[in-house]
């Protein structure tokens, strides 16, 4: 009999999640029925959108209830298949496998991964949801052209690091915004961004003037809040703002008063467009092929931040909300 370890949302977080909002339990796995697959989870992906699932706010996905296993993307190995589609040993990725050691799912909720293409955990990173967010969000929503100045916030994170590199491939002048010198040094020295702004220690407005003398043509926004107020006030004519995420707002209990940025949108005839990566689902194969090619050619590299053990997931998730991660945050659940 298989014993499953699971992480539950014990209490709905109010504001910044706390360790006591989570609970780890052990339970017996049920029998695998006809049409189902039993998966041993190897890698769990921790992503900011999960904070939204923990709240009651209206969303494309239903909210978690207290006592539910936390839903999340993961990569695992099929250890029992009662389907024609999958066999034992297959490596799969699923967006709803959850914070647990084992999951029983139906084929519709998983996809097969080619382990020869890249390390399997990239299926929840550069070759998965965050990678597709960067690729389609930048190219379809930001619409950069060579020579454009592209600014990206949360620039050393899972999505941001890829946005900047894709913009560099496209011949853009790239400025990243991140918290701390170590992250900023990584952006300029290793990822070859043209400049990086440490929003925790530098004056964002002054640095934007310095690094974006002709204004900002594309702003890929991962954070919202005061960083975004500053960038919007530096937009160039016909600028595009791709609203990918507003992590600075996810843990607030009341909306943060902000600058009025509409005058800058008006006078620059700028466009702002929010997007969810899923709107590009029909085109993922194009993005995945292109990203895999760039990785193979060494044009795109990716930084991972790996935490060992499922029981570390709550602490790591809280860290994600506080900028403790450096690169794509993953939990290694099992070998
Ligand atoms: P990530 O950037 O790897 O990690 C989150 C980062 O956000 C932290 O490391 C931290 O970096 C930064 N951050 C946290 N609190 C902040 C604050 N108050 N102000 C400014 N920065 C803060 O996460 P990710 O997976 O790549 O996600 C990035 C954003 O994209 C999130 O907003 C997420 O919701 C969004 N997203 C959207 C979609 C979509 O379909 N629209 C899909 C995927 C992700 P610093 O140390 O630099 O502050
Ligand atoms: C994300 C932030 C928000 C994300 C999805 C959402 C897939 C969607 C939120 C909503 O529907 O309310 O990072 O990633």
């Amino acid at each position: 009999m298989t014993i499953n370890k699971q992480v539950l949302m014990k209490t709905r977080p109010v504001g910044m999640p706390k360790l006591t909002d989570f609970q780890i339990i052990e339970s017996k796995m049920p029998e695998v029925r006809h049409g189902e697959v039993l998966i041993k989870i190897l890698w769990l992906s921790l992503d900011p959108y999960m904070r939204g699932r923990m709240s009651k706010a209206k969303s494309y996905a239903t909210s978690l209830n207290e006592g539910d296993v936390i839903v999340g993307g993961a990569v695992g190995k099929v250890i029992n298949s009662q389907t024609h589609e999958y066999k034992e040993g297959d490596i799969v990725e699923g967006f709803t496998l959850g914070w647990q050691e084992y999951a029983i799912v139906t084929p519709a909720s998983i996809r097969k991964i080619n382990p020869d293409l890249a390390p399997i955990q990239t299926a929840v990173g550069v070759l998965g949801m965050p990678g597709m967010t960067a690729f389609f969000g930048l190219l379809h929503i930001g619409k950069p052209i060579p020579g454009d100045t592209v600014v990206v916030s949360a620039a050393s994170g899972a999505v941001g690091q890829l946005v900047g590199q894709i913009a560099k491939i496209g011949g853009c002048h790239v400025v990243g915004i991140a918290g701390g010198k170590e992250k900023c040094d990584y952006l300029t020295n290793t990822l070859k961004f043209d400049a990086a702004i440490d929003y925790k220690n530098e004056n964002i407005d002054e640095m934007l003037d310095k690094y974006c003398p002709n204004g900002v043509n594309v702003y890929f926004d991962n954070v919202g809040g005061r960083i975004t107020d500053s960038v919007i006030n530096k937009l160039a004519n016909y600028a595009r703002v791709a609203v990918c995420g507003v992590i600075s707002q996810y843990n607030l209990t009341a909306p943060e008063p902000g600058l009025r940025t509409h005058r800058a949108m008006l006078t620059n005839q700028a466009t702002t467009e929010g997007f969810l990566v899923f709107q590009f689902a029909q085109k993922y194969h194009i993005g995945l092929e292109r990203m895999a090619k760039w990785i193979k050619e060494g044009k795109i590299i990716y930084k991972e931040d790996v935490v060992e053990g499922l029981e570390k997931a709550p602490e790591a998730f809280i860290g994600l909300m506080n900028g403790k991660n450096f690169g794509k945050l993953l939990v290694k659940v099992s070998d």
Side-chain angles (χ1 to χ4, degrees):
M1 184 210 325
T2 309
I3 298 291
N4 196 11
K5 199 183 272 181
Q6 301 176 302
V7 184
L8 312 183
M9 184 181 81
K10 185 173 169 219
T11 47
R12 192 178 298 289
V14 178
M16 189 59 74
K18 307 179 293 300
L19 282 178
T20 50
D21 293 326
F22 301 90
Q23 182 183 16
I24 297 176
I25 62 157
E26 290 193 350
S27 62
K28 286 185 218 158
M29 284 303 286
E31 287 293 308
V32 185
R33 291 173 305 189
H34 181 70
E36 292 179 337
V37 184
L38 171 63
I39 292 161
K40 181 177 191 193
I41 295 187
L42 306 177
W43 294 91
L44 172 65
S45 175
L46 296 183
D47 299 272
Y49 75 85
M50 292 168 172
R51 181 63 188 86
R53 290 275 178 94
M54 293 172 194
S55 81
K56 270 197 187 142
K58 182 182 153 291
S59 162
Y60 71 95
T62 45
S63 304
L64 289 168
N65 289 315
E66 291 183 347
D68 284 350
V69 177
I70 298 175
V71 178
V75 177
K77 186 191 271 188
V78 173
I79 54 171
N80 181 349
S81 173
Q82 298 301 318
T83 71
H84 297 299
E85 293 97 324
Y86 289 93
K87 60 178 191 317
E88 264 178 48
D90 282 347
I91 301 293
V92 300
E93 185 262 342
F95 196 62
T96 55
L97 291 174
W99 293 24
Q100 52 189 346
E101 290 182 335
Y102 296 92
I104 294 177
V105 295
T106 53
S109 69
I110 50 177
R111 66 177 170 123
K112 210 175 281 190
I113 297 307
N114 175 0
D116 300 327
L117 192 63
I120 58 172
Q121 72 276 15
T122 59
V124 287
V126 59
L127 297 180
M129 191 278 283
M132 296 303 93
T133 302
F135 184 87
F136 291 106
L138 179 67
L139 300 179
H140 282 249
I141 311 288
K143 303 186 191 81
I145 56 170
D148 270 357
T149 293
V150 174
V151 173
V152 55
S153 49
S156 72
V159 175
Q161 58 174 321
L162 304 175
V163 168
Q165 292 182 81
I166 298 167
K168 282 304 300 174
I169 292 170
C172 298
H173 177 77
V174 175
V175 179
I177 304 177
K181 185 172 185 323
E182 195 193 358
K183 289 181 177 180
C184 287
D185 285 348
Y186 179 75
L187 297 178
T188 49
N189 297 339
T190 307
L191 300 187
K192 308 295 179 202
F193 285 22
D194 297 283
I197 301 173
D198 172 2
Y199 75 92
K200 289 186 174 164
N201 297 297
E202 293 181 304
N203 181 306
I204 306 176
D205 299 300
E206 284 174 18
M207 292 300 123
L208 285 169
D209 282 338
K210 180 173 168 189
Y211 298 133
C212 313
N214 302 318
V216 176
N217 303 103
V218 177
Y219 175 42
F220 191 104
D221 189 8
N222 282 319
V223 304
R226 70 179 181 89
I227 294 175
T228 295
D229 291 344
S230 291
V231 181
I232 288 183
N233 279 310
K234 307 289 181 205
L235 293 181
N237 279 344
Y238 312 113
R240 284 82 63 202
V241 178
V243 183
C244 175
V246 290
I247 195 167
S248 72
Q249 312 297 295
Y250 294 166
N251 297 294
L252 300 179
T253 46
E256 181 185 53
L259 264 185
R260 299 284 166 107
T261 49
H262 274 65
R263 179 148 195 260
M265 296 301 299
L266 164 73
T267 53
N268 294 299
Q269 302 157 82
T271 308
T272 183
E273 187 173 354
F275 71 96
L276 287 174
V277 63
F278 314 112
Q279 77 196 59
F280 301 108
Q282 303 305 318
K283 296 193 179 116
Y284 281 175
H285 62 285
I286 300 169
L288 289 173
E289 201 176 293
R290 185 65 62 88
M291 294 294 277
K293 182 168 172 280
W294 282 334
I295 293 169
K296 214 166 151 201
E297 294 170 350
K299 290 183 178 160
I300 287 216
I301 56 174
Y302 52 91
K303 189 172 180 58
E304 298 172 335
D305 187 336
V306 177
V307 171
E308 303 266 344
L310 180 69
E311 53 292 334
K312 289 279 167 54
E315 185 188 336
F317 181 73
I318 296 167
L320 179 71
M321 295 291 131
N322 286 288
K324 297 253 160 58
N325 66 305
F326 188 1
K328 168 63 202 153
L329 183 58
L330 296 160
V331 179
K332 188 156 196 266
V333 178
S334 179
D335 283 320

